[in-house]
């Protein structure tokens, strides 16, 4: 039988990080803080009966960075000390077994831009141009993809966006998009350039 979880609001000052936490998380604190600011504190910190953090050290550091007074916590008082020790390691380890589906990720990022600045949450989109998307022009496989960055004037960016938009309305784009990676802007830009190159070859 699964115990019903009770969420408690605990003062940040009353929480104690685990002294021997083997996970280095300082590089992630800024991104987690940005996530909390944007979406709220949606994942409680897991603590033991003595308010020592079991899981959620990065969230605690982010809460301190944001000067939060209290955070939601779940108390793992149904676990023994050894179980807590094992759970702490297991919680960090299982995430390492996950991998990105880069085809799906490209499509998701395309859908979110420009409404969300995903760099704030740790995504490296590899560009500082006006329409903010990474140009993965290869097959979408992580080992063969390539990210290109461009610095453009507003006029240049408008022309490229117009070309990408027109290409997305073609049958060639639709067929190519179905057969290749999910980065819609990257695929459309590739096809624009490819058609231009074919015209130069035929001239």
């Amino acid at each position: 039988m699964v115990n019903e979880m009770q969420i408690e609001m605990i003062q940040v000052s009353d929480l104690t990080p685990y002294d021997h936490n083997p996970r280095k998380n300082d590089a992630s604190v800024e991104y987690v803080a940005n996530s909390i600011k944007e979406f709220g504190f949606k994942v409680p910190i897991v603590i033991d009966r003595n308010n020592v953090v079991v899981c959620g050290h990065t969230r605690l550091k982010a809460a301190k960075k944001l000067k939060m007074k209290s955070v939601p916590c779940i108390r793992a008082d149904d676990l023994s000390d050894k179980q807590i020790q094992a759970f702490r390691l297991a919680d960090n380890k299982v995430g390492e077994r996950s991998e990105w589906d880069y085809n799906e990720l490209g499509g998701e990022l395309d859908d979110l831009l420009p409404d969300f600045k995903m760099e704030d949450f740790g995504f490296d989109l590899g560009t500082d141009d006006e329409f903010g998307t990474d140009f993965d022009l290869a097959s979408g496989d992580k080992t063969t993809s390539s990210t290109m960055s461009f610095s453009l004037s507003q006029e240049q960016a408008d022309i490229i966006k117009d070309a990408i938009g027109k290409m997305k309305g073609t049958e060639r784009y639709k067929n190519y998009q179905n057969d290749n990676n999910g980065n819609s802007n990257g695929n459309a830009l590739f096809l624009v350039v490819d058609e231009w190159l074919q015209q130069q070859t035929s001239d």
Side-chain angles (χ1 to χ4, degrees):
M1 179 178 179
V2 178
N3 293 331
E4 183 179 353
M5 293 186 295
Q6 298 293 330
I7 297 178
E8 308 175 42
M9 294 301 297
I10 306 292
Q11 293 290 310
V12 169
S13 58
D14 290 337
L15 297 176
T16 304
Y18 179 57
D19 285 339
H20 304 291
N21 181 31
R23 192 73 168 179
K24 297 180 180 180
N25 53 25
D26 287 344
S28 300
V29 173
E30 179 182 357
Y31 302 127
V32 174
N34 289 338
S35 178
I36 292 172
K37 283 192 295 185
E38 180 69 34
F39 309 114
F41 208 112
K42 301 302 185 186
V43 182
I45 294 173
V46 181
I47 58 177
D48 67 13
R49 62 183 62 85
N50 298 313
N51 287 359
V52 176
V53 175
V54 179
C55 306
H57 286 85
T58 310
R59 295 192 292 282
L60 177 58
K61 288 181 179 180
K64 290 179 178 178
K65 180 180 178 68
L66 296 173
K67 301 188 184 321
M68 297 179 66
K69 300 298 183 183
S70 60
V71 291
C73 297
I74 295 174
R75 197 176 297 278
D77 52 6
D78 59 323
L79 302 180
S80 69
D81 290 344
K82 285 295 183 182
Q83 284 179 314
I84 285 176
Q85 188 176 4
F87 177 42
R88 184 181 285 114
L89 294 179
D91 182 70
N92 281 309
K93 186 61 180 177
V94 292
E96 297 177 2
R97 309 303 298 177
S98 301
E99 297 180 356
W100 288 108
D101 181 325
Y102 285 91
N103 293 341
E104 296 292 345
L105 177 61
E108 290 293 298
L109 290 174
D110 276 350
D111 287 343
L112 290 170
L113 295 170
D115 299 302
F116 288 93
K117 190 177 179 183
M118 298 305 289
E119 296 94 331
D120 290 346
F121 313 122
F123 288 93
D124 183 5
L125 302 187
T127 181
D128 56 3
D129 60 51
E130 291 296 326
F131 49 101
T133 184
D134 60 341
F135 295 94
D136 287 330
L137 304 183
S139 67
D141 189 305
K142 182 180 179 183
T143 59
T144 60
S145 65
S146 176
T147 298
M148 304 175 69
S149 299
F150 301 91
S151 294
L152 305 170
S153 69
Q154 187 60 54
E155 181 181 7
Q156 292 171 325
D158 289 341
I159 290 173
I160 292 175
K161 284 190 286 186
D162 186 47
I164 287 175
K166 286 182 170 60
M167 178 56 72
K168 287 183 177 181
T170 67
E171 284 300 316
R172 187 186 179 199
Y173 166 79
K174 293 174 183 176
N175 294 332
Y176 188 86
Q177 178 76 356
N178 289 335
D179 294 336
N180 289 273
N181 67 74
N183 188 330
S184 61
N185 286 340
N187 287 337
L189 181 59
F190 165 76
L191 292 174
V192 169
V193 175
D194 183 58
E195 286 197 3
W196 181 86
L197 285 173
Q198 289 183 36
Q199 291 174 8
Q200 303 309 302
T201 303
S202 61
D203 288 346

